[in-house]
Amino acid sequence: MESGKVKVTILGQTYNIKGDTSPEYILELTDYVNKKIEEISDNVVNGNLLQIAILAALNIADECFQSRKITNGIEGVLECKTKELITLLDEGIIGDTFSGSDLIL
């Protein structure tokens, strides 16, 4: 099997996927999508394959957006704390505890 190219099956359809990532990662993504599709199809009565695929895509998109919100929130907190520390350093409130020779990188 070539690096970055793999044959996968989603909703009974076979696809040849080529990407800039490993075949293992592509298979992992495929397994995730198939599991989402199974979850949806177990909860949707009389849904056709297109409806199930769209609902699965919306669920995956929601997970992605929620993760982004969390990540952005964490980044915002870190940025705020960093600015506070820089301000304290600029004002000389902290930083006198260590001399230049005490810094280890």
Side-chain angles (χ1 to χ4, degrees):
M1 189 178 315
E2 288 180 43
S3 176
K5 187 173 182 179
V6 64
K7 187 180 287 191
V8 300
T9 303
I10 300 172
L11 277 173
Q13 298 287 321
T14 301
Y15 301 93
N16 290 310
I17 307 292
K18 184 177 180 185
D20 294 334
T21 186
S22 71
E24 293 81 14
Y25 182 70
I26 294 170
L27 290 171
E28 185 178 357
L29 293 175
T30 302
D31 287 341
Y32 187 79
V33 168
N34 279 320
K35 285 179 184 165
K36 282 292 176 188
I37 289 169
E38 286 176 22
E39 286 176 20
I40 299 298
S41 67
D42 288 345
N43 293 307
V44 172
V45 180
N46 299 326
N48 65 42
L49 292 180
L50 179 60
Q51 291 170 329
I52 292 169
I54 289 170
L55 290 172
L58 286 171
N59 274 273
I60 293 168
D62 178 53
E63 290 175 2
C64 178
F65 277 58
Q66 295 299 325
S67 293
R68 283 184 188 167
K69 282 183 184 178
I70 292 168
T71 299
N72 290 339
I74 291 170
E75 288 173 354
V77 169
L78 289 174
E79 183 178 346
C80 183
K81 292 294 182 187
T82 301
K83 286 179 181 178
E84 288 176 12
L85 287 171
I86 290 170
T87 300
L88 292 173
L89 286 168
D90 286 345
E91 294 173 358
I93 296 172
I94 63 171
D96 292 336
T97 308
F98 300 102
S99 69
S101 62
D102 291 335
L103 297 177
I104 299 173
L105 301 177

